[in-house]
């Protein structure tokens, strides 16, 4: 691994011996990661490298496979990225919390270069400033179209659900993982999402991990919007972050019958009534490990054990709401019978204390215990921060030990 916080502008002429050494080490670099420090790669350094490189060096990093690029507050670090792109690149991540740059020509230039790579497998555009624009959308769609045979994972923030994007995603025959943030989509009707879901189910046959986030703006959202996704038989993880999505018992039964390989069922803004957990246990396969939803508890909870089926493999359930003192024992007993010992079950509003006192700790209850307990805890210092706070002198002493066997390059 090559470590160091930044490389500044070259002040001396790059000699033939320097290029020989550079060419030797550049063959070892497989991963580039940049972090949002105030220092970054200077444009002058990159220009000098490009202008003085010998003809034998076509790509500065000819074997790089992964680039994870975090923009600084000064987003002009983007142009320095282009010369680092290579036909061997398989994974590209771009993320930042900087202001909007969607109209900036540098953004478009970088994305246009990605469209010419021969075999990209992962594309993650996690920058808040990548707002949908007439210039940006075609550039991203061009990447998807050029990588339709190889791209396996696509993630995009502020996604705008339109015909062009839908058509480009539908051509990704190798797509396994899809993560879309719809905060940039304005026409969020049930029918539009139903059409998009049907496209995914029919055109992306090996899709297994779907995460759809920030869906707002529609009254009366129902599972009809996502029903076609049940046609994806090998689904392993479904996450739908949709405010006010109304789930019905028959929706869960349909999911359980269709997704026999499902491991994660996540609807964090939707309600699944507590008695319905027994229905999930009965209709879903033993592959299910995680359930995430708003799970309200009736005040007078009286479970029916006549057709009761416990979970066999669930390891995590969250989160129980409105556990009243008078129902804590019935709720705790129900959960204890439903899950295996040690299963993590989340509860809110002080319910952890009530459940623990009512039925003990056979279940791994977690969540809010006392309102003042969190305030007493000292913040934990992350050990990883120490590696960034290096003394400048130590960096110079280790200059000859820049590359290690994992082939990562970190700025």
């Amino acid at each position: 691994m090559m470590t160091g916080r930044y490389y500044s502008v070259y002040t001396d002429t790059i000699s033939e011996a320097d290029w020989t050494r550079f060419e030797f080490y550049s063959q070892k670099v497989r991963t580039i990661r940049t972090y949002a420090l105030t220092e970054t790669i200077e444009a002058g350094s990159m220009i000098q490298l490009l202008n003085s490189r010998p003809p034998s060096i076509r790509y500065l990093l000819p074997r790089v496979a992964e680039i994870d690029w975090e923009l600084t507050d000064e987003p002009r670090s983007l142009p320095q990225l282009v010369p680092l792109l290579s036909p061997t690149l398989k994974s590209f991540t771009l993320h930042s919390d900087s202001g909007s740059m969607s109209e900036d020509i540098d953004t478009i230039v970088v994305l246009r270069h990605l469209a010419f790579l021969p075999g990209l497998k992962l594309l993650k555009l996690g920058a808040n400033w990548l707002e949908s624009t007439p210039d940006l959308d075609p550039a991203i769609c061009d990447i998807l179209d050029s990588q339709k045979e190889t791209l396996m994972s696509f993630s995009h923030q502020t996604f705008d659900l339109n015909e062009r994007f839908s058509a480009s995603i539908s051509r990704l025959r190798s797509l396994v993982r899809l993560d879309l943030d719809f905060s940039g989509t304005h026409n969020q009707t049930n029918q539009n999402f139903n059409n998009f879901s049907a496209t995914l189910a029919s055109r992306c046959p090996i899709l297994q991990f779907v995460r759809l986030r920030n869906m707002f703006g529609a009254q009366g959202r129902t599972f009809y919007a996502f029903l076609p996704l049940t046609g994806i038989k090998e689904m392993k993880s479904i996450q739908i972050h949709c405010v006010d999505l109304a789930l019905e018992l028959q929706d869960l039964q349909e999911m359980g019958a269709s997704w026999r390989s499902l491991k994660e069922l996540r609807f964090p803004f939707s309600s699944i009534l507590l008695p319905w957990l027994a229905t999930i246990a009965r209709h879903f396969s033993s592959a299910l490990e995680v359930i995430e939803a708003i799970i309200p508890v009736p005040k007078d909870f009286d479970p029916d054990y006549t057709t009761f089926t416990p979970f066999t493999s669930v390891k995590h359930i969250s989160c129980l709401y409105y556990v009243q003192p008078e129902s804590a024992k019935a709720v705790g007993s129900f959960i204890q019978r439903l899950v295996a010992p040690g299963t993590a079950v989340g509860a809110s509003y002080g319910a952890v204390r009530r459940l623990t006192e009512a039925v003990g700790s056979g279940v791994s209850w977690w969540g809010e215990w006392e309102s003042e307990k969190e305030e007493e805890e000292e913040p934990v210092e992350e050990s990883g921060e120490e590696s960034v706070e290096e003394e400048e002198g130590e960096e110079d002493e280790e200059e000859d030990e820049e590359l290690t066997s994992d082939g990562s390059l970190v700025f």
Side-chain angles (χ1 to χ4, degrees):
M1 179 183 293
M2 183 177 289
T3 59
R5 287 184 290 176
Y6 66 97
Y7 287 85
S8 189
V9 177
Y10 292 102
T11 56
D12 300 321
T13 302
I14 305 176
S15 68
E16 183 177 345
D18 292 331
W19 276 115
T20 300
R21 186 171 184 266
F22 179 90
E23 188 171 13
F24 174 80
Y25 282 108
S26 68
Q27 298 283 339
K28 299 178 179 294
V29 176
R30 301 291 185 275
T31 302
I32 303 171
R33 294 189 180 96
T34 66
Y35 300 103
L37 304 172
T38 54
E39 303 91 353
T40 186
I41 308 175
E42 294 287 349
S45 302
M46 196 63 71
I47 292 172
Q48 188 169 357
L49 278 172
L50 294 174
N51 290 340
S52 61
R53 61 179 171 176
S56 60
I57 299 180
R58 183 177 180 184
Y59 300 101
L60 292 180
L61 300 174
R63 301 180 70 183
V64 66
E66 176 188 358
I67 294 179
D68 188 330
W69 197 271
E70 182 174 359
L71 292 175
T72 65
D73 292 334
E74 172 50 65
R76 294 289 175 176
S77 63
L78 266 177
Q80 284 79 277
L81 192 159
V82 173
L84 304 178
L85 302 179
S86 167
T88 58
L89 190 66
K90 303 300 180 187
S91 173
F92 180 81
T93 299
L94 181 65
H95 49 104
S96 170
D97 291 326
S98 301
S100 178
M101 265 187 57
S102 296
E103 300 292 349
D104 192 283
I105 189 63
D106 294 334
T107 306
I108 307 301
V109 167
V110 171
L111 296 177
R112 293 293 186 196
H113 275 77
L114 290 174
F116 291 99
L117 299 178
L120 200 63
K121 292 186 177 181
L122 181 148
L123 176 62
K124 182 177 181 180
L125 303 175
N128 290 340
W129 44 260
L130 282 176
E131 298 173 0
S132 177
T133 69
D135 291 328
L136 183 66
D137 287 356
I140 297 176
C141 288
D142 285 346
I143 300 174
L144 301 181
D145 293 341
S146 67
Q147 311 297 330
K148 61 184 179 182
E149 300 297 334
T150 61
L151 196 66
M152 300 175 65
S153 178
F154 176 52
S155 175
H156 184 23
Q157 199 157 312
T158 61
F159 176 80
D160 182 15
L161 180 57
N162 54 49
E163 290 184 8
R164 176 72 193 275
F165 259 124
S166 182
S168 293
I169 291 177
S170 71
R171 300 186 187 102
L172 301 177
R173 305 295 292 174
S174 299
L175 191 65
V176 174
R177 186 180 299 269
L178 182 65
D179 183 354
L180 299 178
D181 184 316
F182 289 91
S183 55
T185 298
H186 304 292
N187 189 18
Q188 296 193 13
T189 65
N190 276 334
Q191 189 59 56
N192 281 350
F193 281 120
N194 179 277
N195 294 341
F196 181 64
S197 298
T199 297
L200 293 178
S202 62
R203 303 298 297 275
C204 302
I206 61 173
L207 194 60
Q208 297 178 11
F209 303 87
V210 175
R211 186 182 185 210
L212 309 177
R213 296 172 287 143
N214 288 335
M215 287 171 278
F216 309 102
Q219 298 294 324
R221 176 88 69 214
T222 67
F223 189 68
Y224 169 79
F226 314 104
L227 182 61
L229 294 178
T230 57
I232 304 175
K233 300 305 180 183
E234 297 303 316
M235 185 78 77
K236 288 184 170 54
S237 176
I238 182 72
Q239 300 186 44
I240 297 182
H241 299 210
C242 182
V243 175
D244 296 329
L245 169 63
L247 289 177
E248 302 293 340
L249 190 59
Q250 57 265 33
D251 298 331
L252 295 170
Q253 293 171 346
E254 178 72 24
M255 296 180 213
S258 302
W259 294 331
R260 304 307 295 169
S261 300
L262 194 73
K263 292 186 176 181
E264 296 187 354
L265 179 70
R266 296 182 182 269
F267 289 82
F269 299 107
S270 303
S271 292
I272 294 178
L273 300 181
L274 181 60
W276 292 3
L277 290 179
T279 302
I280 293 176
R282 187 162 60 253
H283 288 275
F284 280 71
S285 77
S286 60
L288 188 64
E289 296 180 357
V290 176
I291 300 171
E292 180 182 6
I294 297 172
I295 307 175
V297 176
K299 184 176 181 180
D300 300 320
F301 180 63
D302 185 17
D304 179 9
Y305 294 110
T306 57
T307 59
F308 189 80
T309 302
F311 287 112
T312 57
S313 58
V314 166
K315 301 175 182 177
H316 178 104
I317 296 177
S318 64
C319 183
L320 303 181
Y321 284 82
Y322 317 121
V323 180
Q324 303 299 320
E326 56 268 29
S327 64
K329 187 172 183 61
V331 171
S333 299
F334 175 77
I335 294 296
Q336 283 188 326
R337 294 183 62 172
L338 186 67
V339 302
T343 300
V345 179
S348 64
Y349 304 133
V352 173
R353 175 192 287 274
R354 297 171 190 165
L355 292 166
T356 303
E357 291 176 348
V359 296
S361 56
V363 172
S364 182
W365 306 108
W366 62 271
E368 181 182 318
W369 180 270
E370 291 177 315
S371 58
E372 63 268 23
K373 188 173 181 65
E374 267 188 34
E375 298 174 0
E376 296 174 356
E377 293 179 353
E378 292 294 326
V380 179
E381 185 174 343
E382 296 183 7
S383 59
E385 295 295 325
E386 298 179 0
S387 61
V388 178
E389 302 296 329
E390 296 176 329
E391 294 295 328
E392 295 293 331
E394 293 177 1
E395 291 182 14
D396 295 335
E397 292 172 6
E398 296 178 357
E399 188 179 66
D400 292 333
E401 299 178 355
E402 292 171 331
L403 276 170
T404 58
S405 59
D406 74 342
S408 296
L409 176 61
V410 180
F411 295 106

